[in-house]
Short mmCIF file of all heavy atoms in Angstrom, two decimals:
data_model
loop_
_atom_site.label_atom_id
_atom_site.label_comp_id
_atom_site.label_asym_id
_atom_site.label_seq_id
_atom_site.Cartn_x
_atom_site.Cartn_y
_atom_site.Cartn_z
N MET A 1 121.22 98.70 111.94
CA MET A 1 120.29 98.17 110.96
C MET A 1 119.55 96.94 111.46
O MET A 1 118.70 96.43 110.77
CB MET A 1 121.04 97.83 109.68
CG MET A 1 121.67 99.00 109.00
SD MET A 1 120.43 100.20 108.62
CE MET A 1 121.42 101.63 108.41
N ARG A 2 119.88 96.52 112.65
CA ARG A 2 119.21 95.35 113.20
C ARG A 2 117.74 95.61 113.49
O ARG A 2 116.92 94.71 113.42
CB ARG A 2 119.94 94.92 114.48
CG ARG A 2 119.51 93.60 115.01
CD ARG A 2 120.54 93.10 116.02
NE ARG A 2 120.14 91.86 116.61
CZ ARG A 2 120.35 90.68 116.08
NH1 ARG A 2 120.94 90.59 114.92
NH2 ARG A 2 119.96 89.60 116.69
N LYS A 3 117.40 96.86 113.79
CA LYS A 3 116.00 97.18 114.07
C LYS A 3 115.13 96.99 112.83
O LYS A 3 113.97 96.62 112.95
CB LYS A 3 115.87 98.59 114.62
CG LYS A 3 116.27 99.67 113.66
CD LYS A 3 116.14 101.03 114.29
CE LYS A 3 116.66 102.08 113.32
NZ LYS A 3 116.58 103.41 113.89
N TYR A 4 115.68 97.23 111.65
CA TYR A 4 114.91 97.02 110.43
C TYR A 4 114.60 95.53 110.23
O TYR A 4 113.53 95.17 109.76
CB TYR A 4 115.64 97.55 109.21
CG TYR A 4 115.73 99.05 109.16
CD1 TYR A 4 116.90 99.68 108.77
CD2 TYR A 4 114.64 99.84 109.49
CE1 TYR A 4 116.98 101.06 108.72
CE2 TYR A 4 114.71 101.21 109.45
CZ TYR A 4 115.88 101.81 109.07
OH TYR A 4 115.95 103.18 109.02
N ARG A 5 115.54 94.68 110.59
CA ARG A 5 115.33 93.25 110.44
C ARG A 5 114.20 92.77 111.37
O ARG A 5 113.37 91.96 110.98
CB ARG A 5 116.61 92.48 110.75
CG ARG A 5 116.47 91.00 110.47
CD ARG A 5 117.75 90.28 110.65
NE ARG A 5 118.75 90.86 109.75
CZ ARG A 5 119.99 90.46 109.69
NH1 ARG A 5 120.42 89.51 110.47
NH2 ARG A 5 120.84 91.03 108.86
N LEU A 6 114.16 93.31 112.59
CA LEU A 6 113.09 92.96 113.53
C LEU A 6 111.74 93.42 113.00
O LEU A 6 110.75 92.69 113.06
CB LEU A 6 113.38 93.56 114.90
CG LEU A 6 112.32 93.30 115.97
CD1 LEU A 6 112.23 91.82 116.28
CD2 LEU A 6 112.64 94.10 117.22
N VAL A 7 111.70 94.64 112.48
CA VAL A 7 110.45 95.16 111.93
C VAL A 7 110.02 94.34 110.72
O VAL A 7 108.83 94.08 110.53
CB VAL A 7 110.60 96.66 111.57
CG1 VAL A 7 109.36 97.18 110.86
CG2 VAL A 7 110.87 97.48 112.82
N GLN A 8 110.96 93.90 109.90
CA GLN A 8 110.63 93.07 108.75
C GLN A 8 110.01 91.74 109.20
O GLN A 8 109.05 91.26 108.60
CB GLN A 8 111.85 92.79 107.91
CG GLN A 8 112.29 93.95 107.07
CD GLN A 8 113.54 93.64 106.27
OE1 GLN A 8 114.26 92.70 106.57
NE2 GLN A 8 113.81 94.44 105.27
N ARG A 9 110.57 91.16 110.24
CA ARG A 9 110.00 89.90 110.75
C ARG A 9 108.61 90.11 111.32
O ARG A 9 107.73 89.26 111.15
CB ARG A 9 110.93 89.30 111.80
CG ARG A 9 112.17 88.74 111.19
CD ARG A 9 113.04 88.10 112.23
NE ARG A 9 114.26 87.59 111.60
CZ ARG A 9 115.31 87.21 112.25
NH1 ARG A 9 115.33 87.26 113.57
NH2 ARG A 9 116.36 86.77 111.61
N ILE A 10 108.42 91.22 112.00
CA ILE A 10 107.09 91.52 112.55
C ILE A 10 106.10 91.71 111.42
O ILE A 10 104.96 91.23 111.49
CB ILE A 10 107.16 92.76 113.47
CG1 ILE A 10 107.92 92.43 114.75
CG2 ILE A 10 105.77 93.29 113.79
CD1 ILE A 10 108.21 93.61 115.63
N LEU A 11 106.49 92.42 110.36
CA LEU A 11 105.60 92.62 109.22
C LEU A 11 105.28 91.31 108.52
O LEU A 11 104.14 91.09 108.09
CB LEU A 11 106.22 93.61 108.23
CG LEU A 11 106.22 95.07 108.66
CD1 LEU A 11 107.03 95.90 107.69
CD2 LEU A 11 104.81 95.60 108.75
N SER A 12 106.26 90.42 108.42
CA SER A 12 106.00 89.11 107.82
C SER A 12 105.01 88.31 108.66
O SER A 12 104.09 87.68 108.13
CB SER A 12 107.30 88.33 107.68
OG SER A 12 108.15 88.96 106.77
N SER A 13 105.20 88.35 109.97
CA SER A 13 104.28 87.63 110.87
C SER A 13 102.88 88.22 110.80
O SER A 13 101.89 87.49 110.79
CB SER A 13 104.79 87.69 112.30
OG SER A 13 106.05 87.10 112.40
N LEU A 14 102.80 89.54 110.75
CA LEU A 14 101.51 90.20 110.67
C LEU A 14 100.80 89.86 109.36
O LEU A 14 99.59 89.60 109.35
CB LEU A 14 101.71 91.70 110.80
CG LEU A 14 100.48 92.57 110.96
CD1 LEU A 14 99.75 92.19 112.24
CD2 LEU A 14 100.88 94.02 111.00
N SER A 15 101.55 89.84 108.29
CA SER A 15 100.97 89.48 106.99
C SER A 15 100.47 88.03 106.99
O SER A 15 99.39 87.74 106.45
CB SER A 15 102.01 89.67 105.90
OG SER A 15 101.49 89.35 104.65
N LEU A 16 101.22 87.15 107.60
CA LEU A 16 100.79 85.76 107.69
C LEU A 16 99.53 85.62 108.55
O LEU A 16 98.62 84.85 108.20
CB LEU A 16 101.92 84.90 108.26
CG LEU A 16 101.74 83.40 108.20
CD1 LEU A 16 101.65 82.93 106.76
CD2 LEU A 16 102.90 82.71 108.90
N CYS A 17 99.46 86.37 109.63
CA CYS A 17 98.25 86.35 110.47
C CYS A 17 97.04 86.87 109.69
O CYS A 17 95.94 86.31 109.79
CB CYS A 17 98.46 87.18 111.73
SG CYS A 17 99.54 86.41 112.93
N PHE A 18 97.24 87.96 108.93
CA PHE A 18 96.15 88.48 108.10
C PHE A 18 95.68 87.43 107.10
O PHE A 18 94.48 87.29 106.85
CB PHE A 18 96.59 89.73 107.33
CG PHE A 18 96.60 90.99 108.15
CD1 PHE A 18 97.60 91.92 107.98
CD2 PHE A 18 95.62 91.24 109.08
CE1 PHE A 18 97.63 93.08 108.71
CE2 PHE A 18 95.63 92.40 109.83
CZ PHE A 18 96.64 93.32 109.65
N PHE A 19 96.61 86.69 106.53
CA PHE A 19 96.26 85.66 105.56
C PHE A 19 95.39 84.58 106.18
O PHE A 19 94.36 84.20 105.62
CB PHE A 19 97.53 85.06 104.97
CG PHE A 19 97.28 83.98 103.96
CD1 PHE A 19 96.79 84.30 102.72
CD2 PHE A 19 97.53 82.66 104.27
CE1 PHE A 19 96.55 83.31 101.78
CE2 PHE A 19 97.30 81.67 103.34
CZ PHE A 19 96.80 81.99 102.09
N HIS A 20 95.78 84.10 107.35
CA HIS A 20 95.02 83.03 107.99
C HIS A 20 93.65 83.53 108.47
O HIS A 20 92.65 82.81 108.36
CB HIS A 20 95.80 82.44 109.16
CG HIS A 20 96.97 81.63 108.72
ND1 HIS A 20 96.85 80.48 107.99
CD2 HIS A 20 98.31 81.82 108.89
CE1 HIS A 20 98.04 79.97 107.74
NE2 HIS A 20 98.95 80.78 108.27
N ILE A 21 93.60 84.74 108.98
CA ILE A 21 92.31 85.29 109.40
C ILE A 21 91.41 85.50 108.19
O ILE A 21 90.20 85.24 108.25
CB ILE A 21 92.53 86.61 110.17
CG1 ILE A 21 93.22 86.32 111.51
CG2 ILE A 21 91.21 87.32 110.41
CD1 ILE A 21 93.67 87.56 112.24
N MET A 22 91.99 85.94 107.07
CA MET A 22 91.21 86.13 105.84
C MET A 22 90.58 84.82 105.39
O MET A 22 89.40 84.78 105.04
CB MET A 22 92.09 86.69 104.72
CG MET A 22 91.38 86.81 103.39
SD MET A 22 92.45 87.22 102.02
CE MET A 22 93.44 85.75 101.87
N ILE A 23 91.35 83.75 105.42
CA ILE A 23 90.82 82.45 105.00
C ILE A 23 89.67 82.03 105.91
O ILE A 23 88.64 81.54 105.44
CB ILE A 23 91.93 81.40 104.98
CG1 ILE A 23 92.88 81.68 103.82
CG2 ILE A 23 91.35 79.99 104.86
CD1 ILE A 23 94.08 80.79 103.78
N ALA A 24 89.82 82.22 107.20
CA ALA A 24 88.77 81.83 108.15
C ALA A 24 87.51 82.66 107.94
O ALA A 24 86.39 82.11 107.93
CB ALA A 24 89.27 81.99 109.58
N VAL A 25 87.66 83.95 107.75
CA VAL A 25 86.49 84.83 107.58
C VAL A 25 85.76 84.51 106.28
O VAL A 25 84.53 84.39 106.26
CB VAL A 25 86.93 86.32 107.61
CG1 VAL A 25 85.84 87.24 107.13
CG2 VAL A 25 87.36 86.70 109.01
N VAL A 26 86.51 84.36 105.21
CA VAL A 26 85.88 84.08 103.91
C VAL A 26 85.20 82.71 103.92
O VAL A 26 84.08 82.56 103.43
CB VAL A 26 86.90 84.20 102.76
CG1 VAL A 26 86.33 83.69 101.45
CG2 VAL A 26 87.34 85.64 102.60
N ALA A 27 85.85 81.71 104.50
CA ALA A 27 85.26 80.37 104.54
C ALA A 27 83.98 80.36 105.38
O ALA A 27 82.97 79.76 104.98
CB ALA A 27 86.25 79.37 105.11
N TYR A 28 84.01 81.04 106.52
CA TYR A 28 82.81 81.08 107.36
C TYR A 28 81.66 81.78 106.64
O TYR A 28 80.52 81.29 106.63
CB TYR A 28 83.11 81.80 108.68
CG TYR A 28 81.89 81.98 109.53
CD1 TYR A 28 81.39 80.91 110.28
CD2 TYR A 28 81.20 83.19 109.56
CE1 TYR A 28 80.25 81.06 111.05
CE2 TYR A 28 80.07 83.34 110.32
CZ TYR A 28 79.59 82.28 111.06
OH TYR A 28 78.47 82.42 111.81
N ASN A 29 81.94 82.93 106.04
CA ASN A 29 80.88 83.67 105.36
C ASN A 29 80.39 82.94 104.11
O ASN A 29 79.21 83.01 103.78
CB ASN A 29 81.36 85.07 105.02
CG ASN A 29 81.44 85.94 106.24
OD1 ASN A 29 80.56 85.91 107.08
ND2 ASN A 29 82.50 86.71 106.35
N TYR A 30 81.28 82.24 103.43
CA TYR A 30 80.85 81.47 102.26
C TYR A 30 79.89 80.36 102.70
O TYR A 30 78.84 80.16 102.07
CB TYR A 30 82.05 80.86 101.55
CG TYR A 30 81.69 80.17 100.26
CD1 TYR A 30 81.59 80.89 99.09
CD2 TYR A 30 81.43 78.80 100.22
CE1 TYR A 30 81.25 80.27 97.90
CE2 TYR A 30 81.08 78.17 99.05
CZ TYR A 30 80.99 78.91 97.88
OH TYR A 30 80.64 78.29 96.72
N CYS A 31 80.24 79.66 103.76
CA CYS A 31 79.36 78.59 104.26
C CYS A 31 78.03 79.14 104.73
O CYS A 31 76.97 78.55 104.49
CB CYS A 31 80.04 77.82 105.37
SG CYS A 31 81.44 76.83 104.82
N ALA A 32 78.07 80.28 105.43
CA ALA A 32 76.84 80.90 105.91
C ALA A 32 75.95 81.33 104.75
O ALA A 32 74.73 81.12 104.77
CB ALA A 32 77.15 82.08 106.81
N LEU A 33 76.55 81.92 103.73
CA LEU A 33 75.75 82.35 102.57
C LEU A 33 75.25 81.16 101.76
O LEU A 33 74.15 81.20 101.20
CB LEU A 33 76.57 83.28 101.69
CG LEU A 33 76.75 84.70 102.21
CD1 LEU A 33 77.71 85.47 101.33
CD2 LEU A 33 75.42 85.41 102.29
N GLU A 34 76.03 80.10 101.70
CA GLU A 34 75.58 78.91 100.98
C GLU A 34 74.39 78.26 101.71
O GLU A 34 73.42 77.86 101.08
CB GLU A 34 76.73 77.92 100.86
CG GLU A 34 76.41 76.75 99.96
CD GLU A 34 77.62 75.87 99.73
OE1 GLU A 34 78.52 75.84 100.58
OE2 GLU A 34 77.63 75.19 98.69
N TRP A 35 74.49 78.20 103.03
CA TRP A 35 73.38 77.64 103.80
C TRP A 35 72.14 78.53 103.64
O TRP A 35 71.03 78.04 103.45
CB TRP A 35 73.75 77.55 105.28
CG TRP A 35 72.63 77.03 106.12
CD1 TRP A 35 72.35 75.73 106.37
CD2 TRP A 35 71.63 77.80 106.77
NE1 TRP A 35 71.22 75.64 107.16
CE2 TRP A 35 70.77 76.91 107.42
CE3 TRP A 35 71.38 79.16 106.88
CZ2 TRP A 35 69.67 77.33 108.15
CZ3 TRP A 35 70.28 79.59 107.62
CH2 TRP A 35 69.46 78.67 108.24
N GLY A 36 72.35 79.84 103.72
CA GLY A 36 71.22 80.76 103.59
C GLY A 36 70.60 80.72 102.21
O GLY A 36 69.39 80.89 102.06
N ASP A 37 71.40 80.48 101.20
CA ASP A 37 70.88 80.39 99.83
C ASP A 37 70.00 79.15 99.67
O ASP A 37 68.96 79.20 99.03
CB ASP A 37 72.05 80.35 98.85
CG ASP A 37 71.59 80.44 97.41
OD1 ASP A 37 70.59 81.13 97.14
OD2 ASP A 37 72.24 79.82 96.54
N LYS A 38 70.42 78.05 100.29
CA LYS A 38 69.65 76.80 100.14
C LYS A 38 68.41 76.76 101.03
O LYS A 38 67.35 76.32 100.60
CB LYS A 38 70.54 75.61 100.49
CG LYS A 38 71.55 75.28 99.44
CD LYS A 38 72.33 74.05 99.85
CE LYS A 38 73.38 73.72 98.81
NZ LYS A 38 74.20 72.57 99.19
N TYR A 39 68.55 77.19 102.27
CA TYR A 39 67.49 76.93 103.24
C TYR A 39 66.74 78.17 103.73
O TYR A 39 65.58 78.07 104.10
CB TYR A 39 68.06 76.20 104.46
CG TYR A 39 68.72 74.91 104.09
CD1 TYR A 39 70.10 74.75 104.20
CD2 TYR A 39 67.98 73.82 103.61
CE1 TYR A 39 70.72 73.56 103.86
CE2 TYR A 39 68.58 72.64 103.27
CZ TYR A 39 69.94 72.52 103.40
OH TYR A 39 70.56 71.34 103.05
N ALA A 40 67.38 79.32 103.77
CA ALA A 40 66.73 80.50 104.33
C ALA A 40 66.24 81.48 103.28
O ALA A 40 65.62 82.48 103.61
CB ALA A 40 67.69 81.21 105.29
N GLY A 41 66.55 81.22 102.03
CA GLY A 41 66.06 82.07 100.96
C GLY A 41 66.81 83.38 100.77
O GLY A 41 66.23 84.38 100.36
N TYR A 42 68.11 83.38 101.06
CA TYR A 42 68.91 84.59 100.83
C TYR A 42 68.95 84.88 99.34
O TYR A 42 68.94 83.99 98.50
CB TYR A 42 70.34 84.41 101.31
CG TYR A 42 70.52 84.33 102.81
CD1 TYR A 42 71.78 84.13 103.35
CD2 TYR A 42 69.46 84.45 103.69
CE1 TYR A 42 71.98 84.05 104.71
CE2 TYR A 42 69.65 84.37 105.05
CZ TYR A 42 70.90 84.17 105.56
OH TYR A 42 71.11 84.09 106.89
N SER A 43 69.03 86.16 99.01
CA SER A 43 69.07 86.53 97.60
C SER A 43 70.50 86.63 97.06
O SER A 43 70.70 86.68 95.86
CB SER A 43 68.35 87.86 97.39
OG SER A 43 69.00 88.88 98.12
N LEU A 44 71.49 86.72 97.94
CA LEU A 44 72.88 86.82 97.49
C LEU A 44 73.49 85.45 97.23
O LEU A 44 73.26 84.52 98.00
CB LEU A 44 73.73 87.53 98.55
CG LEU A 44 73.46 89.00 98.78
CD1 LEU A 44 74.30 89.51 99.93
CD2 LEU A 44 73.77 89.78 97.53
N PRO A 45 74.28 85.32 96.18
CA PRO A 45 74.97 84.05 95.97
C PRO A 45 76.15 83.94 96.93
O PRO A 45 76.67 84.94 97.43
CB PRO A 45 75.46 84.15 94.53
CG PRO A 45 75.57 85.59 94.26
CD PRO A 45 74.50 86.25 95.08
N PRO A 46 76.60 82.73 97.21
CA PRO A 46 77.73 82.55 98.15
C PRO A 46 79.04 83.18 97.67
O PRO A 46 79.91 83.46 98.49
CB PRO A 46 77.88 81.03 98.24
CG PRO A 46 76.60 80.47 97.77
CD PRO A 46 76.02 81.46 96.83
N ASN A 47 79.17 83.43 96.38
CA ASN A 47 80.41 84.01 95.86
C ASN A 47 80.66 85.42 96.39
O ASN A 47 81.80 85.91 96.31
CB ASN A 47 80.39 84.04 94.34
CG ASN A 47 80.37 82.66 93.75
OD1 ASN A 47 80.83 81.72 94.38
ND2 ASN A 47 79.83 82.53 92.56
N ILE A 48 79.66 86.07 96.91
CA ILE A 48 79.82 87.41 97.47
C ILE A 48 80.75 87.37 98.68
O ILE A 48 81.37 88.38 99.02
CB ILE A 48 78.44 87.98 97.84
CG1 ILE A 48 77.57 88.13 96.60
CG2 ILE A 48 78.54 89.30 98.57
CD1 ILE A 48 78.12 89.08 95.57
N ALA A 49 80.90 86.23 99.32
CA ALA A 49 81.77 86.12 100.49
C ALA A 49 83.21 86.43 100.15
O ALA A 49 83.98 86.83 101.03
CB ALA A 49 81.66 84.72 101.08
N PHE A 50 83.60 86.28 98.90
CA PHE A 50 84.98 86.58 98.52
C PHE A 50 85.29 88.07 98.56
O PHE A 50 86.45 88.47 98.56
CB PHE A 50 85.29 86.01 97.14
CG PHE A 50 85.29 84.51 97.12
CD1 PHE A 50 84.31 83.82 96.44
CD2 PHE A 50 86.26 83.81 97.81
CE1 PHE A 50 84.31 82.43 96.43
CE2 PHE A 50 86.27 82.42 97.81
CZ PHE A 50 85.29 81.73 97.13
N LEU A 51 84.26 88.91 98.63
CA LEU A 51 84.50 90.35 98.77
C LEU A 51 85.09 90.68 100.14
O LEU A 51 85.72 91.73 100.31
CB LEU A 51 83.20 91.12 98.57
CG LEU A 51 82.63 91.10 97.15
CD1 LEU A 51 81.30 91.83 97.10
CD2 LEU A 51 83.61 91.69 96.17
N TYR A 52 84.90 89.79 101.11
CA TYR A 52 85.48 90.01 102.43
C TYR A 52 87.00 89.89 102.40
O TYR A 52 87.67 90.31 103.34
CB TYR A 52 84.93 89.01 103.45
CG TYR A 52 83.51 89.29 103.87
CD1 TYR A 52 82.46 88.52 103.41
CD2 TYR A 52 83.23 90.34 104.73
CE1 TYR A 52 81.16 88.78 103.80
CE2 TYR A 52 81.94 90.61 105.12
CZ TYR A 52 80.91 89.83 104.66
OH TYR A 52 79.62 90.09 105.03
N ALA A 53 87.55 89.36 101.35
CA ALA A 53 89.00 89.20 101.24
C ALA A 53 89.70 90.49 100.84
O ALA A 53 90.91 90.63 101.04
CB ALA A 53 89.33 88.10 100.24
N ILE A 54 88.97 91.45 100.31
CA ILE A 54 89.58 92.67 99.80
C ILE A 54 90.32 93.47 100.89
O ILE A 54 91.48 93.84 100.69
CB ILE A 54 88.54 93.54 99.05
CG1 ILE A 54 88.09 92.81 97.80
CG2 ILE A 54 89.09 94.91 98.72
CD1 ILE A 54 86.94 93.46 97.08
N PRO A 55 89.71 93.74 102.05
CA PRO A 55 90.46 94.49 103.06
C PRO A 55 91.69 93.75 103.57
O PRO A 55 92.73 94.37 103.84
CB PRO A 55 89.46 94.69 104.20
CG PRO A 55 88.14 94.41 103.65
CD PRO A 55 88.33 93.52 102.48
N PHE A 56 91.59 92.43 103.69
CA PHE A 56 92.74 91.65 104.14
C PHE A 56 93.85 91.67 103.10
O PHE A 56 95.03 91.76 103.44
CB PHE A 56 92.33 90.21 104.45
CG PHE A 56 91.45 90.09 105.65
CD1 PHE A 56 90.10 89.83 105.50
CD2 PHE A 56 91.97 90.23 106.92
CE1 PHE A 56 89.28 89.72 106.61
CE2 PHE A 56 91.16 90.11 108.03
CZ PHE A 56 89.82 89.86 107.88
N ALA A 57 93.48 91.59 101.84
CA ALA A 57 94.49 91.65 100.77
C ALA A 57 95.18 93.02 100.75
O ALA A 57 96.39 93.10 100.53
CB ALA A 57 93.84 91.36 99.43
N ALA A 58 94.42 94.07 101.01
CA ALA A 58 95.02 95.40 101.07
C ALA A 58 96.00 95.50 102.24
O ALA A 58 97.09 96.08 102.10
CB ALA A 58 93.93 96.46 101.20
N ASP A 59 95.65 94.94 103.38
CA ASP A 59 96.55 94.95 104.54
C ASP A 59 97.82 94.16 104.24
O ASP A 59 98.92 94.58 104.61
CB ASP A 59 95.86 94.38 105.77
CG ASP A 59 94.76 95.29 106.29
OD1 ASP A 59 94.81 96.48 105.98
OD2 ASP A 59 93.88 94.79 107.00
N MET A 60 97.68 93.02 103.60
CA MET A 60 98.86 92.23 103.26
C MET A 60 99.74 92.97 102.26
O MET A 60 100.97 92.90 102.33
CB MET A 60 98.45 90.86 102.70
CG MET A 60 97.91 89.93 103.76
SD MET A 60 97.59 88.28 103.17
CE MET A 60 96.12 88.53 102.19
N LEU A 61 99.13 93.68 101.33
CA LEU A 61 99.89 94.46 100.36
C LEU A 61 100.66 95.59 101.05
O LEU A 61 101.82 95.84 100.73
CB LEU A 61 98.96 95.03 99.29
CG LEU A 61 99.61 95.81 98.17
CD1 LEU A 61 100.52 94.89 97.36
CD2 LEU A 61 98.57 96.45 97.30
N VAL A 62 100.03 96.26 102.01
CA VAL A 62 100.71 97.32 102.76
C VAL A 62 101.90 96.74 103.53
O VAL A 62 102.98 97.33 103.54
CB VAL A 62 99.72 98.02 103.72
CG1 VAL A 62 100.44 98.89 104.73
CG2 VAL A 62 98.73 98.85 102.93
N CYS A 63 101.71 95.59 104.16
CA CYS A 63 102.83 94.95 104.88
C CYS A 63 103.97 94.59 103.92
O CYS A 63 105.14 94.78 104.26
CB CYS A 63 102.35 93.69 105.60
SG CYS A 63 101.35 94.02 107.05
N ALA A 64 103.63 94.10 102.75
CA ALA A 64 104.66 93.73 101.78
C ALA A 64 105.42 94.95 101.28
O ALA A 64 106.64 94.92 101.14
CB ALA A 64 104.03 92.98 100.61
N VAL A 65 104.71 96.04 101.03
CA VAL A 65 105.36 97.27 100.56
C VAL A 65 106.26 97.84 101.65
O VAL A 65 107.39 98.27 101.37
CB VAL A 65 104.30 98.30 100.09
CG1 VAL A 65 104.91 99.66 99.89
CG2 VAL A 65 103.62 97.81 98.83
N LEU A 66 105.79 97.84 102.89
CA LEU A 66 106.63 98.33 103.99
C LEU A 66 107.87 97.47 104.17
O LEU A 66 108.97 98.00 104.40
CB LEU A 66 105.82 98.38 105.28
CG LEU A 66 104.82 99.51 105.41
CD1 LEU A 66 104.00 99.35 106.68
CD2 LEU A 66 105.53 100.85 105.40
N LYS A 67 107.70 96.17 104.05
CA LYS A 67 108.85 95.29 104.18
C LYS A 67 109.85 95.54 103.05
O LYS A 67 111.05 95.58 103.28
CB LYS A 67 108.39 93.83 104.17
CG LYS A 67 109.50 92.86 104.43
CD LYS A 67 108.99 91.45 104.47
CE LYS A 67 110.19 90.52 104.62
NZ LYS A 67 109.81 89.14 104.56
N TRP A 68 109.35 95.72 101.83
CA TRP A 68 110.23 96.00 100.70
C TRP A 68 110.94 97.33 100.90
O TRP A 68 112.14 97.45 100.63
CB TRP A 68 109.42 96.02 99.42
CG TRP A 68 110.23 96.39 98.22
CD1 TRP A 68 111.10 95.59 97.53
CD2 TRP A 68 110.28 97.67 97.59
NE1 TRP A 68 111.66 96.28 96.51
CE2 TRP A 68 111.18 97.57 96.52
CE3 TRP A 68 109.63 98.87 97.83
CZ2 TRP A 68 111.44 98.65 95.69
CZ3 TRP A 68 109.91 99.94 97.00
CH2 TRP A 68 110.81 99.81 95.94
N PHE A 69 110.21 98.34 101.39
CA PHE A 69 110.80 99.66 101.62
C PHE A 69 111.90 99.58 102.68
O PHE A 69 112.95 100.20 102.53
CB PHE A 69 109.72 100.65 102.04
CG PHE A 69 110.24 102.03 102.27
CD1 PHE A 69 110.62 102.82 101.20
CD2 PHE A 69 110.34 102.54 103.55
CE1 PHE A 69 111.09 104.11 101.41
CE2 PHE A 69 110.82 103.81 103.76
CZ PHE A 69 111.20 104.61 102.69
N LEU A 70 111.68 98.83 103.75
CA LEU A 70 112.69 98.71 104.79
C LEU A 70 113.90 97.91 104.30
O LEU A 70 115.02 98.14 104.74
CB LEU A 70 112.10 98.04 106.03
CG LEU A 70 111.11 98.92 106.81
CD1 LEU A 70 110.49 98.13 107.93
CD2 LEU A 70 111.80 100.16 107.33
N ARG A 71 113.68 96.98 103.40
CA ARG A 71 114.79 96.22 102.84
C ARG A 71 115.67 97.13 101.99
O ARG A 71 116.88 96.99 101.97
CB ARG A 71 114.26 95.07 102.01
CG ARG A 71 115.33 94.18 101.50
CD ARG A 71 114.74 93.01 100.80
NE ARG A 71 115.65 91.89 101.00
CZ ARG A 71 115.37 90.66 100.70
NH1 ARG A 71 114.20 90.38 100.19
NH2 ARG A 71 116.22 89.72 100.90
N ARG A 72 115.05 98.07 101.29
CA ARG A 72 115.81 99.00 100.46
C ARG A 72 116.60 99.98 101.33
O ARG A 72 117.62 100.48 100.92
CB ARG A 72 114.86 99.79 99.55
CG ARG A 72 114.03 98.94 98.62
CD ARG A 72 114.71 98.62 97.37
NE ARG A 72 114.85 99.83 96.58
CZ ARG A 72 115.59 99.89 95.50
NH1 ARG A 72 116.20 98.83 95.08
NH2 ARG A 72 115.70 101.01 94.83
N LYS A 73 116.11 100.26 102.54
CA LYS A 73 116.80 101.16 103.46
C LYS A 73 118.11 100.59 103.92
O LYS A 73 119.05 101.29 104.21
CB LYS A 73 115.93 101.45 104.68
CG LYS A 73 114.86 102.45 104.43
CD LYS A 73 115.43 103.80 104.63
CE LYS A 73 114.31 104.78 104.87
NZ LYS A 73 114.77 106.11 104.97
N ARG A 74 118.14 99.26 104.04
CA ARG A 74 119.32 98.58 104.58
C ARG A 74 120.38 98.63 103.57
O ARG A 74 121.26 98.96 103.18
CB ARG A 74 118.99 97.12 104.88
CG ARG A 74 119.72 96.61 106.03
CD ARG A 74 119.28 95.29 106.51
NE ARG A 74 118.55 94.46 105.57
CZ ARG A 74 118.64 93.16 105.55
NH1 ARG A 74 119.43 92.54 106.36
NH2 ARG A 74 117.92 92.45 104.74
#
């Protein structure tokens, strides 16, 4: 059962990496859209940048479900 524990740690690390990458991507796109709204005449509001978080949230959810499933196996 030790292999499940290693996989759980890998899934936790992967989920944490997804979280940090999500924050970086959303923050960058929010700033870019905010700048474009003020100076370049973009038609989209900066709040649209939060839509970039959806795929990352889905990945984190998959990692959490897999980790929970492996915990139940043990």
